[in-house]
Amino acid sequence: MSDMNSTGDTLNDFEAEKADARRVVVLISGNGSNLQALIDAQSFDELGGEIVAVISNKVDAHGLKRARDAGIDAVALPHNEYDSREAFDGALIKVIERHEPDLIVLAGFMRILSPIFVNRFHGRLLNVHPSLLPAYQGLNTHKRVLADGGEEHGASVHFVTEELDGGPVVIQAALMIRPGDSEEEIIEKIHAREHLIYPIAVRWFLEGRLQLGPNGPTLDGVALPAQGMRLSHEDAAEELDEEPGD
């Protein structure tokens, strides 16, 4: 007859080995406010993994200080020290792979990536863009929306492909533009929406819920719509505790 008490004690004393946290490398070029949102999420154990390195193509990027202050490896890799985009991207690939990331996150990385880079990390590259993609791809989105008299704006997180700002959308947060809204006010609200949705998308990926397959992105095995998961203006404003009427 087996000794059930002995078996029970053995099982109670057993501690499963913890799996290593999934690893993230963040690419920046400047201030790094979206990087800070990711660092903050990690500090509250809400990121689903660990930022192991921050890499900037500019040595004076403030985001590098944010990384160092958080105890994260901060690397400056000046693009102007390379003869071509392909040469820089080749060096960048080597630095990234040294950190063995599960995910590479672009957070204000102001470089157009070469096809060799994008294909190397296909399905593991996320970017945040200040518009409701596919509207207003490229730069100066806020000025262009205001110039067009647009009533709706927003932010999008998407997988990176060879098409600039054209990869499949994962999640968006909308912003209603009201008469009299200044560009500065819109920028502030768009930044807040970026900081809200980017950590969510990163966590989905690191937890294995978000994947990019041959037919597009899926969340929990279900295909995402073209606009991804979208937070309405009202939902985003509630999450951000914006004052009614903002």
Side-chain angles (χ1 to χ4, degrees):
M1 182 175 178
S2 62
D3 186 345
M4 295 298 293
N5 289 333
S6 175
T7 303
D9 289 343
T10 302
L11 291 174
N12 289 335
D13 291 340
F14 176 76
E15 290 187 10
E17 184 177 345
K18 291 184 178 179
D20 291 337
R22 303 198 75 191
R23 301 165 64 85
V24 182
V25 167
V26 182
L27 306 185
I28 64 168
S29 293
N31 181 47
S33 66
N34 273 302
L35 165 64
Q36 190 63 56
L38 298 173
I39 291 172
D40 292 344
Q42 178 177 301
S43 70
F44 288 104
D45 198 25
E46 294 177 350
L47 192 64
E50 178 185 3
I51 302 170
V52 295
V54 173
I55 305 170
S56 174
N57 65 306
K58 295 187 177 180
V59 297
D60 59 349
H62 180 65
L64 292 173
K65 182 179 185 302
R66 295 181 188 269
R68 288 191 290 267
D69 289 347
I72 299 168
D73 190 13
V75 181
L77 190 69
H79 66 270
N80 54 10
E81 294 184 0
Y82 294 85
D83 294 334
S84 67
R85 186 178 304 278
E86 289 73 20
F88 171 75
D89 282 6
L92 182 58
I93 287 170
K94 291 180 180 179
V95 175
I96 290 172
E97 291 189 334
R98 200 176 298 153
H99 294 276
E100 301 180 334
D102 298 286
L103 177 66
I104 298 95
V105 173
L106 310 184
F109 187 64
M110 304 303 291
R111 294 279 299 171
I112 296 175
L113 296 166
S114 63
I116 189 172
F117 184 97
V118 173
N119 291 328
R120 184 65 162 260
F121 300 114
H122 177 76
R124 294 191 288 147
L125 275 171
L126 288 178
N127 184 44
V128 65
H129 182 74
S131 79
L132 294 177
L133 292 172
Y136 298 102
Q137 295 167 304
L139 301 174
N140 302 317
T141 62
H142 316 302
K143 289 183 183 296
R144 291 156 60 197
V145 169
L146 286 173
D148 290 345
E151 298 180 351
E152 187 177 52
H153 195 25
S156 306
V157 177
H158 65 96
F159 280 103
V160 177
T161 63
E162 291 186 37
E163 180 186 355
L164 180 64
D165 301 326
V169 175
V170 173
I171 185 171
Q172 296 182 326
L175 171 69
M176 299 307 297
I177 298 177
R178 295 180 170 85
D181 280 352
S182 68
E183 183 179 354
E184 290 73 22
E185 290 171 327
I186 290 172
I187 289 172
E188 181 179 354
K189 291 177 183 179
I190 292 298
H191 281 167
R193 279 155 177 77
E194 291 176 353
H195 302 164
L196 172 65
I197 62 176
Y198 216 177
I200 292 172
V202 169
R203 180 166 187 162
W204 284 347
F205 185 94
L206 295 178
E207 290 181 340
R209 299 178 59 196
L210 173 65
Q211 297 178 337
L212 179 60
N215 297 316
T218 60
L219 182 64
D220 297 329
V222 179
L224 288 171
Q227 65 183 24
M229 300 291 288
R230 179 179 287 191
L231 290 176
S232 67
H233 170 87
E234 291 75 17
D235 289 341
E238 182 177 353
E239 289 289 334
L240 295 168
D241 293 325
E242 292 177 351
E243 292 294 329
D246 278 0

